[in-house]
Amino acid sequence: MKRIDTEQKWQMRVMREGTDEGYISAKVPGSVYNDLLNAGLMEDPYWRDNELEALRIMEDDFLYRGMIEVDADGLKDADDVILRFNGLDTIADIELNGKSLGSTDNMHRIWEYSVKDILKQSGNELTVLLHSPVRYIAEQYEADPAIMGTEDAMRGFPKIRKAHYMFGWDWGARLPDAGIWKEVELLRVKKARYTRVYIRQTFNDDMTCAGLSFDISTEQMSPSGCGSKTVITLISPDGNKLYDKMDISDGAGAETEKTVLRVDAPELWWPNGLGSQPLYTVIAELVDSDGNVCDSVKRRIGLRRMEMSTVKDEYGSEFAHMVNGVKFFAMGADYIPEDNILSRTNRSRTYDLLRQCAAANFNCIRVWGGGYYPSDDFYDACDELGLVVWQDFMFACANYRLTREFEENILSELRDNIRRLSHHASLGLWCGNNEMEKFVLVGEWGAKNEIKSDYIKMYEYLFPRLVEEEDPDRFYWPASPSSGGSFDDPDSPDRGDVHYWEVWHGNKPFTEYRKFYFRYLSEFGFQSFPSIRTVESFTEPSDRNVFSYVMEKHQRNAAANGKIMNYMEQTFLYPNDLDTLIYASQLLQAEAIRYGVEHFRRNRGRCMGTIYWQLNDCWPVASWSSIDYFGRWKALHYYAKRFFAPFMISCEEESLLTQSMNVNAEPFDVIRSIRLSVANESMHERQGVVKWQLRDSGGTVIRDESKEVSVAALSSMWMDKVELPDAGLYDSYVSYQLIEDGETVSEGTVLFCPPKHFRFVDPELSVRVDGDEICVTSEHFARSVEIRNDSDDLILSDNFFDMNGGEKRVRILRGDPEGLAVRSVYDIR
């Protein structure tokens, strides 16, 4: 196929009854909100409560008009011309040159129309009438009120195949934008085209030889046929052609699975931290009997065997990623859409976000099922960075009625996206939905027997059958969380994956994590406020109180600001201003997730994954994210870099936090102890020295010990428990380090009381710039030292770290070190 449109000029108008708004310039790909903002016809929807007016705009319809010019030779000898919409959001009627082509009702699908007999050489007018998504879901809900979903979103949202988060979530605004959100193409087809090129990989037992085979489907466009064949070119990561136009098809049929291409000593693809990510290039060309190329497909692939292990063991059944026969501990976060205005998401922004994941030692990322299927840019980045993707299908926190029409629609949606994404090295598994098995089981949102029946049909029959047909080499999991399906205890801690929310939603203390040994934790989280500079982006000065109207509009989890303050009361002294409160909230969040991850890594083997909620934001908001809407790292992301480190030391302490924090409890003997553990999530044995010190509140060493350790690859190792009965509850602490080749690669501290009761000494922090480094000096123990500049947009090699006195240097990775300031937990007062 060949793209033949040479120019597209687009306009858009608001179809408001009783008015003539006129056309404005529009961008495709783009959206209504983006076009109105560019034209100065709407206010920033993220400012204060402008969301409400932006939502009202979506009660209108919108007409897009494009003038399409065609390559002068584009129509010659064409057997067909296909008009392809790669993404339409969502309910749309399409006309070309005054002739109706059809209607669309799913933003996740590709829509194609044969237009050869309608096209002109020039002056083609393409119109797309987008109907109000707000009115549509209201009408659908009135017609069928039994179909419901999360109360954080608008009523009726499950009735439209549109990214659910657009209608609101417990971290997202109600901004259901609309538009032509992906490219529009005119494609000339001569004789035949590919409809599917599926690349299968096989390996011998020791992975020293790979075989590639191809499952190919074509569509014949010429009535006389073309006698086409497929030739394959395979290019190694270093650019050498291993096969050049190798004929793998005899042209006998539309579907083929033929010659196996052998690759000796393949360069294997590995997740981040376990090896490199070499990528081969595959070019498939559909060649007719005259040697002309009718169509071609180019793919980058990684040679690897990707599996999930669910074998039974002494605890139940494990749930572990396996790459090339190696089980690894999943470390990452849940990804949501990057913006409510889709056109603001682009290749550069997506790559940058995912680089921040790799920089924090992620090896996995889960694409949550309430958004949309990510772009190819997202997957290209994950391929290059070694981030294994858990990919939900786009069904989340809602009930669905399985009519014949709905079945055909969603299966087409899945097929389009499986075919688009299945070649990616990083794609780890397909998952049927987010949280529906557990909610349907208990009848949430009106899930009666009919809905339960439809649930089983969708996620445990239709979807796995389609995955088996379209991507047979990929693991399918029916839901997240799940123990394997059939409503069989989907929250079991002994099988499958778990979403654990008792810390946060259940108001349980951080120590609660230590009561569990989940096999794979795919959601758990804790909220914080974003940077004061992010808060300033959507507030006036009078709004800057966490219980103000505007601050609560930018907090979508009911009563969550109060919940943050409740946990803060248990942990820190009361902050004296909003900026300090924000700092304290981020430390709470980081400590909560650290407490969980380190516990589960200490129990590696029984638990094999911690994916925290959530990575990012789609607008400026208080949320569970570790990177805020503007790309600012919260404390959690720096903590993640440390608690996801391949070679990592952690401490299981016994203290007031694990026994009783009630200062008025009847006096009792408080157990004071530490037990250190070293985790090694790398492919080779590592040697090091473990050191620890008992110190007074100023940082002076009272006692110190060290021990050489050797930690096997892909394991964790406990050290002996140490009782410290003489340690002061409120004026001593333990510091610990892991030294490898003379360098401290991991370290931390533990207190025996809540920070609010610890007798900190003023650390007298100072900061200076030395070339591309920032140097912090502390006279005494300083906990969670934060370095920031005026605009709070620095990214450093480390931040929010502990100091035992002395000097620490960190590299400046991004940002201008102007107006530097430092603070620590001592300053929360």
Side-chain angles (χ1 to χ4, degrees):
M1 289 192 297
K2 178 184 178 183
R3 184 168 179 176
I4 62 171
D5 54 291
T6 58
E7 185 178 35
Q8 298 182 15
K9 292 182 178 179
W10 287 93
Q11 296 176 307
M12 185 271 284
R13 62 181 292 194
V14 181
M15 305 293 286
R16 187 170 297 147
E17 187 174 348
T19 64
D20 184 2
E21 298 286 337
Y23 281 98
I24 61 172
S25 177
K27 289 186 176 181
V28 172
S31 76
V32 169
Y33 283 157
N34 193 60
D35 292 332
L36 292 175
L37 285 165
N38 288 340
L41 296 178
M42 72 177 284
E43 300 294 329
D44 176 5
Y46 301 159
W47 171 251
R48 304 192 80 228
D49 65 350
N50 282 354
E51 167 200 358
L52 300 175
E53 176 57 24
L55 177 60
R56 192 211 60 76
I57 289 171
M58 281 299 137
E59 295 174 3
D60 297 320
D61 296 342
F62 307 92
L63 182 65
Y64 276 80
R65 179 175 68 185
M67 301 305 297
I68 314 296
E69 298 301 320
V70 180
D71 183 343
D73 297 323
L75 299 179
K76 291 182 180 178
D77 301 322
D79 289 307
D80 202 355
V81 175
I82 302 297
L83 173 64
R84 175 186 288 168
F85 292 91
N86 288 289
L88 278 172
D89 181 15
T90 293
I91 309 298
D93 300 323
I94 304 165
E95 290 187 0
L96 178 62
N97 295 331
K99 183 170 181 179
S100 174
L101 298 182
S103 300
T104 71
D105 59 359
N106 190 329
M107 77 173 288
H108 305 301
R109 287 181 58 182
I110 296 169
W111 298 90
E112 293 187 342
Y113 303 94
S114 176
V115 297
K116 177 186 174 186
D117 297 333
I118 307 172
L119 273 180
K120 300 183 292 185
Q121 283 285 354
S122 64
N124 293 285
E125 183 179 83
L126 177 61
T127 62
V128 178
L129 177 61
L130 293 164
H131 296 279
S132 164
V134 173
R135 292 204 320 271
Y136 180 85
I137 64 169
E139 293 164 359
Q140 292 293 316
Y141 179 75
E142 183 177 0
D144 189 6
I147 299 301
M148 296 184 290
T150 176
E151 295 81 3
D152 294 303
M154 298 172 69
R155 288 188 297 270
F157 80 89
K159 301 292 287 187
I160 186 172
R161 290 309 297 152
K162 177 178 173 68
H164 288 347
Y165 83 102
M166 291 180 166
F167 295 101
W169 220 259
D170 59 1
W171 39 259
R174 296 186 180 105
L175 292 170
D177 201 0
I180 306 172
W181 74 291
K182 290 187 178 182
E183 281 196 328
V184 179
E185 304 172 287
L186 277 173
L187 302 171
R188 172 185 181 270
V189 185
K190 180 67 175 176
K191 295 186 179 179
R193 66 167 176 162
Y194 287 125
T195 56
R196 177 174 180 252
V197 176
Y198 184 69
I199 305 167
R200 307 196 70 169
Q201 302 182 20
T202 55
F203 298 88
N204 62 351
D205 290 342
D206 61 4
M207 304 292 292
T208 58
C209 180
L212 299 181
S213 61
F214 301 84
D215 191 351
I216 293 172
S217 301
T218 62
E219 182 182 12
Q220 301 296 319
M221 312 302 288
S222 172
S224 60
C226 69
S228 59
K229 64 180 181 181
T230 288
V231 297
I232 296 291
T233 298
L234 178 63
I235 302 172
S236 68
D238 62 5
N240 291 323
K241 288 186 178 180
L242 305 181
Y243 293 91
D244 189 6
K245 299 186 183 297
M246 177 74 175
D247 186 355
I248 65 165
S249 173
D250 59 11
E255 298 190 5
T256 62
E257 185 176 352
K258 298 294 181 184
T259 309
V260 174
L261 305 186
R262 176 174 171 144
V263 180
D264 291 317
E267 298 179 55
L268 298 179
W269 185 95
W270 292 95
N272 184 36
L274 299 183
S276 60
Q277 294 80 42
L279 296 171
Y280 291 73
T281 300
V282 175
I283 303 171
E285 294 176 300
L286 188 61
V287 180
D288 69 13
S289 56
D290 297 321
N292 301 308
V293 177
C294 302
D295 199 4
S296 65
V297 169
K298 185 177 182 179
R299 299 279 189 258
R300 288 194 313 167
I301 66 169
L303 298 183
R304 82 289 178 269
R305 180 185 290 145
M306 184 80 75
E307 302 167 284
M308 291 294 293
S309 174
T310 59
V311 299
K312 292 184 183 299
D313 61 16
E314 61 185 304
Y315 308 110
S317 298
E318 73 175 4
F319 196 77
H321 293 281
M322 291 179 63
V323 174
N324 305 326
V326 174
K327 297 176 187 176
F328 67 93
F329 190 98
M331 302 184 290
D334 295 280
Y335 168 89
I336 66 169
E338 295 169 48
D339 214 302
N340 272 103
I341 301 172
L342 298 186
S343 53
R344 292 180 175 176
T345 301
N346 53 48
R347 180 181 179 88
S348 174
R349 181 175 173 183
T350 296
Y351 262 73
D352 186 64
L353 177 64
L354 294 172
R355 286 190 191 100
Q356 310 314 317
C357 296
N361 295 308
F362 286 28
N363 57 30
C364 280
I365 191 163
R366 173 176 172 245
V367 179
W368 170 75
Y372 53 84
Y373 302 91
S375 67
D376 295 292
D377 295 332
F378 176 94
Y379 269 94
D380 287 344
C382 290
D383 290 347
E384 294 172 12
L385 296 168
L387 300 174
V388 174
V389 181
W390 173 310
Q391 177 67 60
D392 283 1
F393 290 128
M394 292 300 119
F395 303 84
C397 300
N399 296 324
Y400 307 92
R401 194 179 300 285
L402 189 64
T403 64
R404 176 63 63 85
E405 179 183 30
F406 187 69
E407 176 183 334
E408 292 174 355
N409 194 0
I410 59 176
L411 290 181
S412 293
E413 167 191 322
L414 267 60
R415 185 176 293 107
D416 284 350
N417 286 286
I418 292 171
R419 290 185 177 187
R420 179 171 67 90
L421 299 174
S422 62
H423 68 279
H424 282 282
S426 56
L427 179 56
L429 65 88
W430 298 106
C431 177
N433 67 80
N434 175 75
E435 294 187 341
M436 286 315 304
E437 184 180 359
K438 63 182 292 185
F439 286 135
V440 169
L441 172 63
V442 297
E444 189 75 15
W445 304 310
K448 305 300 183 185
N449 288 340
E450 180 185 358
I451 296 301
K452 292 181 178 180
S453 174
D454 286 347
Y455 175 94
I456 293 294
K457 292 173 187 173
M458 285 174 61
Y459 305 112
E460 300 189 20
Y461 176 66
L462 293 172
F463 288 12
R465 185 178 66 174
L466 185 67
V467 170
E468 185 178 9
E469 292 171 357
E470 294 288 341
D471 194 7
D473 298 330
R474 201 82 56 189
F475 182 82
Y476 174 81
W477 192 241
S480 181
S482 180
S483 296
S486 302
F487 301 123
D488 179 16
D489 193 9
D491 280 317
S492 171
D494 302 319
R495 297 172 290 151
D497 72 309
V498 167
H499 294 186
Y500 180 73
W501 283 103
E502 287 302 300
V503 176
W504 181 257
H505 288 307
N507 296 307
K508 295 293 180 68
F510 305 164
T511 52
E512 196 75 5
Y513 288 120
R514 293 185 181 172
K515 296 179 180 179
F516 300 96
Y517 302 88
F518 304 117
R519 311 315 304 268
Y520 191 112
L521 197 51
S522 51
E523 272 193 30
F524 65 115
F526 198 96
Q527 273 206 9
S528 70
F529 297 107
S531 160
I532 188 65
R533 296 291 180 251
T534 297
V535 171
E536 289 169 355
S537 77
F538 62 81
T539 59
E540 293 178 345
S542 60
D543 300 324
R544 292 167 196 160
N545 182 299
V546 296
F547 298 119
S548 74
Y549 168 76
V550 169
M551 287 292 284
E552 290 189 344
K553 288 296 289 183
H554 288 252
Q555 165 59 274
R556 306 315 280 249
N557 184 219
N561 287 357
K563 192 183 295 288
I564 292 173
M565 298 307 295
N566 175 50
Y567 275 102
M568 193 170 297
E569 175 272 330
Q570 300 172 41
T571 310
F572 296 120
L573 296 176
Y574 194 83
N576 55 22
D577 56 51
L578 178 60
D579 186 32
T580 306
L581 188 152
I582 289 170
Y583 168 64
S585 80
Q586 292 194 13
L587 296 186
L588 277 173
Q589 177 191 35
E591 286 291 338
I593 304 306
R594 178 194 65 81
Y595 218 90
V597 171
E598 290 184 352
H599 164 70
F600 294 114
R601 286 196 68 184
R602 288 193 289 266
N603 290 279
R604 187 198 191 280
R606 187 169 180 179
C607 178
M608 287 300 288
T610 51
I611 309 298
Y612 67 77
W613 184 270
Q614 68 202 66
L615 171 64
N616 59 305
D617 288 324
C618 60
W619 73 313
V621 65
S623 80
W624 295 271
S625 69
S626 62
I627 299 179
D628 80 13
Y629 174 73
F630 293 105
R632 294 183 171 105
W633 284 30
K634 296 181 180 178
L636 172 56
H637 211 72
Y638 285 102
Y639 272 52
K641 185 176 182 179
R642 296 195 288 267
F643 60 59
F644 285 155
F647 201 28
M648 188 270 293
I649 189 171
S650 66
C651 180
E652 183 178 271
E653 84 293 345
E654 289 182 286
S655 66
L656 286 171
L657 275 72
T658 62
Q659 294 162 76
S660 174
M661 292 196 297
N662 180 5
V663 297
N664 295 311
E666 183 175 343
F668 66 99
D669 290 330
V670 179
I671 299 172
R672 281 152 281 190
S673 71
I674 62 168
R675 191 181 185 197
L676 298 173
S677 175
V678 181
N680 177 13
E681 201 61 31
S682 54
M683 296 283 282
H684 58 279
E685 182 181 65
R686 297 176 80 156
Q687 285 79 36
V689 177
V690 169
K691 296 182 177 182
W692 67 266
Q693 305 83 33
L694 177 66
R695 299 174 183 264
D696 67 21
S697 58
T700 301
V701 175
I702 301 170
R703 172 184 173 184
D704 68 296
E705 294 190 15
S706 66
K707 182 178 181 179
E708 293 185 358
V709 295
S710 180
V711 188
L714 304 166
S715 73
S716 65
M717 182 191 79
W718 284 101
M719 302 187 69
D720 293 337
K721 181 177 179 179
V722 180
E723 302 280 356
L724 297 168
D726 298 327
L729 281 175
Y730 305 106
D731 57 7
S732 64
Y733 72 99
V734 171
S735 58
Y736 49 89
Q737 305 85 32
L738 176 62
I739 315 296
E740 184 180 35
D741 297 329
E743 179 184 354
T744 300
V745 294
S746 180
E747 60 184 327
T749 65
V750 292
L751 308 181
F752 296 106
C753 68
K756 66 180 180 178
H757 294 154
F758 188 79
R759 295 168 188 154
F760 286 102
V761 178
D762 184 353
E764 301 177 39
L765 295 172
S766 62
V767 61
R768 61 185 173 84
V769 178
D770 185 4
D772 64 351
E773 292 185 326
I774 295 174
C775 177
V776 180
T777 301
S778 173
E779 297 300 321
H780 304 288
F781 172 46
R783 200 159 205 236
S784 303
V785 176
E786 180 194 18
I787 307 167
R788 57 180 179 161
N789 60 0
D790 279 337
S791 53
D792 200 8
D793 60 358
L794 288 174
I795 296 181
L796 306 173
S797 60
D798 198 7
N799 208 350
F800 298 93
F801 46 78
D802 298 343
M803 296 182 67
N804 301 304
E807 179 181 284
K808 183 176 175 75
R809 289 175 173 267
V810 297
R811 296 189 314 280
I812 302 168
L813 304 180
R814 180 184 298 176
D816 188 350
E818 289 293 324
L820 288 181
V822 287
R823 58 183 168 182
S824 71
V825 172
Y826 175 82
D827 298 298
I828 303 175
R829 59 186 60 233

